Amino acid sequence: PSEAKRYRKLEVSHRKTKEERVAALMEGGVEPEKRRDKDMPHVIINHKVDRKASKYMIAKQPFQFSSAEQYERSIRHPLGPEWNTALVHNKAIAPTVVAKAGKMIDPMSMPRPKGTGAKALAAAA
């Protein structure tokens, strides 16, 4: 009797089919025809957007970089002294603006938009 139960358990498969797994992944996802894994039988690519990670993504690269690849390459480069020489490490972590302690720093000035000066206000009145 125990062997018969064992064989009956083997007949019932609890494995999900690919369609069931894809349906579970597609809560806010992509149609099956547009999925990148549609022609790969043993692969499931998760198309969900990770909202927690999206707050660390940038919309465009900073101004000193000409392309996104250049920016990503600079981020991938480690800054630690274990991977760089002492000279390169010190140069990489050096502050860009150096001010002596206690020195007054003038506030940054912001350019005024056109039409907000005294002449524009007088002409409007």
Side-chain angles (χ1 to χ4, degrees), residues 112-122:
R112 287 183 155 195
K114 291 185 177 181
T116 59
K119 290 181 183 178
L121 292 174

Side-chain angles (χ1 to χ4, degrees), residues 24-41:
L25 286 174
M26 281 184 46
E27 291 171 358
V30 183
E31 295 88 34
E33 299 83 34
K34 294 183 180 180
R35 293 184 61 85
R36 291 187 291 169
D37 59 358
K38 68 178 180 179
D39 296 326
M40 297 180 248

Side-chain angles (χ1 to χ4, degrees), residues 45-61:
I45 298 173
N46 189 351
H47 290 278
K48 287 184 184 177
V49 175
D50 188 4
R51 291 186 184 134
K52 290 180 182 177
S54 65
K55 69 180 180 181
Y56 299 108
M57 304 298 280
I58 59 169
K60 61 179 187 172
Q61 71 269 7

Side-chain angles (χ1 to χ4, degrees), residues 71-121:
Y71 174 65
E72 289 172 6
R73 195 175 337 121
S74 71
I75 288 178
R76 278 193 211 107
H77 188 274
L79 295 176
E82 297 86 11
W83 295 280
N84 297 304
T85 63
L87 182 67
V88 172
H89 172 69
N90 290 336
K91 185 178 178 183
I93 65 168
T96 54
V97 177
V98 179
K100 291 184 179 179
K103 183 178 179 184
M104 294 280 280
I105 300 173
D106 295 330
M108 294 176 59
S109 62
M110 189 155 90
R112 287 183 155 195
K114 291 185 177 181
T116 59
K119 290 181 183 178
L121 292 174

